[in-house]
Amino acid sequence: MSVTKKKSRTNPKRENGKSNTIKLKFDTSWSYAPAPESKSAASIKPQYDLFINGEWQKPLSKKYFETFNPATEEKLSEVADAGSADVDKAVKAARNAYDNVWKKMVPKERAKYIFRIARMIQERARELAIIETLDGGKPIRESRDFDVPTAANHFFYYAGWADKLEYAFPNRKAVPLGVAGQIIPWNFPLLMAAWKIAPAIATGNTVVLKTAESTPLTALKLAEIIEESGLPPGVVNIITGAGETGAALVNHPGVDKIAFTGSTDVGKIIQRAIAGTHKKATLELGGKAANIIFDDAPIDQAVEGVINGIYFNQGHVCCAGSRLYVQESIAKEVIRKLKDRMSSLIVGDPMDKNTDIGAINSRSQLETIQKYLKIGREEGAEMYESGCPLPGKGYWCRPTLFTNVAQSNRIAQEEIFGPVLSVLTFRTDDEVIEKANNSPYGLSAGVWTDKGSKIFNMTRRMRAGVIWANTFNKFDPSSPFGGYKESGFGREGGLHGLAAYVTLENV
Ligand code: NAI
Ligand code: MG
């Protein structure tokens, strides 16, 4: 790291003198020598087949599609595009493994496999982190320090429960559901696979998991780990494909449970598709989290938490703190500090360990974000974006902040899923609770205040599945996660996450 000479303050300047877009001067008072992670520690095959029944099987569809590095637009590999016959094969393999092996296995033996998978993820952590960053565009610091360790922790946590289900559900017998069809998104590809697979197999179910089309590679690496772990064939099947593959899995009559994380629109399609069937479901959908700062909060900490809450992982987070409510008396100070901090964030090469904000996951997601930036300006909000330089190739979005936002504006109501923060103000507790709850979503929220009593008052009255107090985006395998309203239903993580994969019978 080298400290440079110039100490610059952010210097708002209106572009063209008239538009309501203001570019903040990039704060170069700290500059870092590049510290890129090496690609050579990861091996990516040129082509991947489907992992069905413990083997790598060519797709019956005979089709493959490409996955790219969104930071360079370079092709990384191609993966199988599973058709309905492939899905059928995977579900049958899972059913066979369920009936003949997994459900009959002594729970303690099941636990050993899951512990082994957890340890192998740790052993191959560096490779997994590199591939996560190459395939999805998130900064290596995040994949290395958050995604991969948290994925391993989920396997450890649920391995621990596998032979203790009678303590998890006292006086009840936990009976597995059967075959779980699991569909995951592109924002936390390995972690979502872990969230879904670990509790399912710990409770004796078998799995067919479909990755997201733009980020299949770490789940395929996980399939390699599962293969090496010696897990009986068919207990975990990992397939690749797009929406049609997902729909074939949802509609397959041999599936007993659907676990889905993704958009609210697809969540609704899935709910309609399984209505009237025996299939159980947990849906983890979108969000528009309110992050609330009261005037008694430690402001610098709160500002750092807000920055982390919205710019972490390019804002590709369902629980991102995308609506900021600041108490009016401190609004000026908070907005000034946010702008200062925002304009020092480094956007660029996700493989560089200094990078704060990596690449947007895909061209289409970048277009969605840009559409909302336009909507925000048209709605009359004032847009501030960092003046940081962007790489020439790839998909990028500067950290952006809107002020003068009205509660009814689309940028305050709809999920943008990018590094874009809408700032609103409030005067009283009642007002902010009403505003925070005035959303079709209810996944997460944050409260920043010095007073414990205020935290309890807020958390009791807010309709959000997870509420962080004086922190944001903290995850632990033992704590449940999930939403209210259009953010979905069912919980993942903790004991609740186990309950979602069993029926409880009287003993
Ligand atoms: P999406 O909901 O289409 O994709 C999520 C997963 O669902 C992918 O694996 C996809 O292949 C699968 N899928 C798509 N159509 C399906 C269908 N009819 N049946 C079964 N599976 C299907 O999300 P998309 O289009 O990638 O992103 C759109 C928006 O969704 C984002 O801008 C963001 O707002 C939100 N989103 C929310 C996520 C969350 O964590 N809650 C994750 C990803 C996206
Ligand atoms: Mg990719």
Side-chain angles (χ1 to χ4, degrees):
M1 186 187 77
S2 67
V3 181
T4 53
K5 347 78 231 177
K6 218 168 71 214
K7 174 90 188 102
S8 74
R9 270 195 56 78
T10 52
N11 177 21
K13 190 170 71 209
R14 272 180 193 270
E15 273 184 352
N16 313 325
K18 53 180 191 292
S19 99
N20 51 354
T21 305
I22 297 166
K23 198 165 258 180
L24 300 167
K25 192 165 173 202
F26 183 46
D27 184 349
T28 52
S29 44
W30 294 88
S31 71
Y32 296 89
E37 171 59 287
S38 161
K39 283 184 201 162
S40 60
S43 77
I44 299 177
K45 291 183 194 149
Q47 192 183 69
Y48 287 90
D49 293 321
L50 303 165
F51 184 66
I52 296 177
N53 208 25
E55 295 168 353
W56 293 92
Q57 304 201 13
K58 296 239 165 276
L60 298 169
S61 70
K62 298 196 164 56
K63 286 196 261 179
Y64 291 83
F65 63 96
E66 297 177 339
T67 183
F68 294 90
N69 177 347
T72 58
E73 298 175 53
E74 280 161 7
K75 174 181 162 182
L76 290 169
S77 180
E78 55 183 36
V79 303
D81 188 358
S84 50
D86 296 299
V87 170
D88 184 52
K89 206 154 74 148
V91 173
K92 286 189 173 137
R95 172 67 53 194
N96 184 38
Y98 176 71
D99 286 338
N100 299 317
V101 184
W102 201 240
K103 129 178 125 171
K104 294 184 186 161
M105 192 179 278
V106 184
K108 200 170 75 184
E109 292 303 311
R110 290 205 289 248
K112 286 184 193 167
Y113 288 107
I114 308 171
F115 274 122
R116 195 177 300 157
I117 294 168
R119 283 195 305 270
M120 290 173 76
I121 292 175
Q122 284 185 322
E123 282 158 16
R124 294 173 66 171
R126 184 164 174 218
E127 183 178 18
L128 287 164
I130 293 170
I131 296 175
E132 199 71 307
T133 285
L134 291 174
D135 203 14
K138 66 174 66 192
I140 186 74
R141 226 168 49 201
E142 274 166 26
S143 10
R144 182 195 64 189
D145 298 347
F146 178 72
D147 295 62
V148 178
T150 318
N153 286 349
H154 271 266
F155 278 102
F156 275 121
Y157 175 78
Y158 282 114
W161 275 121
D163 62 348
K164 301 176 194 68
L165 294 178
E166 69 264 38
Y167 300 100
F169 308 108
N171 305 319
R172 292 277 196 283
K173 182 166 182 254
V175 181
L177 300 174
V179 175
Q182 308 183 320
I183 298 167
I184 57 172
W186 42 262
N187 52 347
F188 293 94
L190 179 70
L191 182 56
M192 287 300 115
W195 274 33
K196 299 233 170 337
I197 294 173
I201 62 175
T203 43
N205 302 276
T206 58
V207 163
V208 178
L209 175 119
K210 187 196 87 69
T211 69
E213 43 273 49
S214 64
T215 53
L217 296 180
T218 43
L220 292 166
K221 279 277 151 188
L222 179 62
E224 289 179 359
I225 288 175
I226 287 171
E227 186 182 16
E228 276 177 45
S229 77
L231 187 76
V235 174
V236 173
N237 305 276
I238 297 185
I239 61 173
T240 43
E244 274 181 36
T245 312
L249 185 55
V250 167
N251 293 316
H252 196 291
V255 168
D256 301 302
K257 184 211 161 104
I258 297 293
F260 171 78
T261 300
S263 64
T264 296
D265 288 346
V266 173
K268 288 178 182 171
I269 294 173
I270 291 176
Q271 252 183 304
R272 278 196 289 272
I274 62 172
T277 72
H278 75 292
K279 293 173 195 173
K280 294 213 157 108
T282 41
L283 304 179
E284 202 260 275
L285 311 174
K288 191 76 187 175
N291 214 345
I292 302 169
I293 310 184
F294 286 96
D295 58 7
D296 61 353
I299 291 186
D300 290 338
Q301 263 168 266
V303 165
E304 201 54 36
V306 170
I307 292 278
N308 168 43
I310 184 64
Y311 300 131
F312 167 64
N313 201 28
Q314 297 71 251
H316 294 339
V317 187
C318 46
C319 52
S322 51
R323 284 185 293 161
L324 173 64
Y325 290 96
V326 194
Q327 201 150 20
E328 213 170 76
S329 53
I330 54 162
K332 253 191 174 164
E333 181 185 357
V334 168
I335 291 170
R336 177 177 56 77
K337 288 189 165 171
L338 277 172
K339 286 180 194 161
D340 278 354
R341 183 67 181 93
M342 200 175 98
S343 50
S344 69
L345 295 175
I346 301 168
V347 182
D349 182 6
M351 290 290 274
D352 191 319
K353 290 163 194 157
N354 299 317
T355 293
D356 297 303
I357 298 183
I360 299 302
N361 186 268
S362 64
R363 186 186 295 278
S364 70
Q365 188 58 32
L366 179 59
E367 284 165 3
T368 304
I369 299 168
Q370 285 167 343
K371 179 189 83 182
Y372 278 104
L373 298 183
K374 189 158 169 272
I375 290 171
R377 290 189 303 252
E378 285 167 3
E379 284 177 322
E382 193 148 281
M383 182 174 118
Y384 296 85
E385 62 173 12
S386 148
C388 61
L390 298 182
K393 272 199 153 180
Y395 316 129
W396 310 96
C397 179
R398 295 188 170 91
T400 304
L401 178 155
F402 279 108
T403 58
N404 282 339
V405 181
Q407 177 74 25
S408 58
N409 287 168
R410 289 182 65 187
I411 53 166
Q413 289 287 332
E414 297 175 17
E415 184 174 49
I416 301 175
F417 228 61
V420 183
L421 179 66
S422 297
V423 186
L424 299 99
T425 58
F426 70 95
R427 288 184 184 168
T428 66
D429 295 15
D430 287 345
E431 180 192 347
V432 76
I433 286 169
E434 187 162 331
K435 284 181 165 170
N437 285 341
N438 177 355
S439 162
Y441 296 111
L443 192 55
S444 63
V447 179
W448 299 83
T449 169
D450 197 30
K451 293 193 184 61
S453 57
K454 202 173 248 175
I455 292 171
F456 287 120
N457 179 35
M458 297 296 294
T459 50
R460 202 168 42 81
R461 294 168 65 197
M462 276 161 68
R463 303 289 288 164
V466 180
I467 304 179
W468 287 288
N470 295 326
T471 186
F472 208 85
N473 273 343
K474 286 276 179 286
F475 291 89
D476 187 273
S478 64
S479 87
F481 185 84
Y484 285 88
K485 299 190 268 186
E486 290 194 17
S487 292
F489 52 79
R491 296 289 179 265
E492 293 184 302
L495 273 176
H496 295 69
L498 282 175
Y501 283 97
V502 295
T503 44
L504 296 176
E505 292 179 356
N506 290 329
V507 281

